[in-house]
Amino acid sequence: QQQVKQSPQSLIVQKGGISIINCAYENTAFDYFPWYQQFPGKGPALLIAIRPDVSEKKEGRFTISFNKSAKQFSLHIMDSQPGDSATYFCAATDNTDKLIFGTGTRLQVFP
Amino acid sequence: ETGVTQSPTHLIKTRGQQVTLRCSSQSGHNTVSWYQQALGQGPQFIFQYYREEENGRGNFPPRFSGLQFPNYSSELNVNALELDDSALYLCASTPKGRLGKGEQYFGPGTRLTVT
């Protein structure tokens, strides 16, 4: 029940395209859903996050879509750029602050 | 504003030894959480420190212990190192007043290799 399932494991997108990464969870107590971006040899950087009282949040080229009834959420990267090439992790937590991470998606954006 | 900093960057230890990793939280933050990230996997929660006390723990044995100091910096100690302890150890801090809200900002990590 504590798992967060993430797909796909890897994603190849052409420059200017849309990258979509999906996550699913089971624990209905989760109330905070962040996405992190991680470059090789670096720590995860908080990209964007959502709480279950809204169905969508947009920040620049990054959008989270949230479906509470399906217990799913996804990250959309519009106009993907080569600089977006990184590993993306979804995560979820409740009021314990214990972040449960997905297994990661390696995104490669080709020019 | 200074972000989360960790030291050392890299460390090589022998099985059975002990190691101490250090973390300085971001300015304006007072809670520190530690995570272990094995190669190719997502980070796993070890424990969190708030007001110098452990405030939640993941599924890690007692040989993983920690401290938090009055200036909110923190240490992670691992005793009796095992080969499987080889990983990137990440420290994350939470802004004051945001405990329990999930917001965590990560440092660059310490890469520990156990031989």
Side-chain angles (χ1 to χ4, degrees):
Chain A
Q1 195 179 19
Q2 286 292 316
Q3 271 190 317
V4 175
K5 295 182 180 179
Q6 184 173 346
S7 64
Q9 189 174 355
S10 63
L11 184 60
I12 299 174
V13 172
Q14 203 158 18
K15 179 183 174 182
I18 303 173
S19 304
I20 302 174
I21 306 170
N22 301 298
C23 285
Y25 65 98
E26 289 294 325
N27 188 346
T28 55
F30 288 154
D31 61 0
Y32 180 73
F33 303 87
W35 284 89
Y36 285 88
Q37 178 191 57
Q38 187 173 31
F39 292 104
K42 306 291 185 184
L46 181 60
L47 201 56
I48 186 172
I50 198 168
R51 297 194 188 272
D53 52 342
V54 296
S55 60
E56 186 174 283
K57 183 174 181 180
K58 184 176 181 179
E59 289 183 3
R61 296 185 293 110
F62 301 93
T63 300
I64 299 179
S65 296
F66 186 82
N67 186 329
K68 188 173 180 179
S69 61
K71 291 184 280 187
Q72 295 176 348
F73 59 110
S74 60
L75 175 70
H76 295 233
I77 306 174
M78 311 300 287
D79 187 26
S80 299
Q81 299 296 312
D84 297 331
S85 298
T87 300
Y88 292 81
F89 290 96
C90 63
T93 188
D94 53 20
N95 61 2
T96 65
D97 275 349
K98 176 182 174 182
L99 281 170
I100 307 297
F101 283 83
T103 49
T105 296
R106 186 183 175 199
L107 172 65
Q108 294 174 276
V109 182
F110 284 96
Chain B
E1 183 180 278
T2 306
V4 178
T5 60
Q6 293 186 242
S7 63
T9 305
H10 296 92
L11 203 52
I12 300 174
K13 289 285 189 179
T14 303
R15 190 172 51 183
Q17 286 187 317
Q18 178 264 342
V19 69
T20 297
L21 311 181
R22 294 178 175 84
C23 169
S24 291
S25 62
Q26 191 166 330
S27 175
H29 294 200
N30 63 350
T31 304
V32 172
S33 302
W34 286 92
Y35 291 78
Q36 180 195 66
Q37 185 177 22
L39 202 61
Q41 298 183 22
Q44 288 201 309
F45 177 81
I46 302 174
F47 43 54
Q48 181 186 72
Y49 275 82
Y50 173 64
R51 291 184 174 176
E52 302 176 45
E53 303 234 340
E54 188 178 289
N55 182 48
R57 187 179 186 93
N59 190 26
F60 281 81
R63 58 189 187 85
F64 285 78
S65 63
L67 285 172
Q68 187 182 30
F69 301 98
N71 66 353
Y72 311 125
S73 66
S74 177
E75 285 182 357
L76 164 66
N77 299 289
V78 187
N79 293 322
L81 283 167
E82 301 177 0
L83 295 178
D84 284 349
D85 295 334
S86 295
L88 182 67
Y89 286 86
L90 296 160
C91 169
S93 68
T94 298
K96 288 180 182 177
R98 304 300 291 169
L99 181 67
K101 300 297 184 184
E103 295 173 34
Q104 294 175 45
Y105 299 86
F106 284 83
T110 293
R111 170 70 63 188
L112 172 65
T113 301
V114 182
T115 61

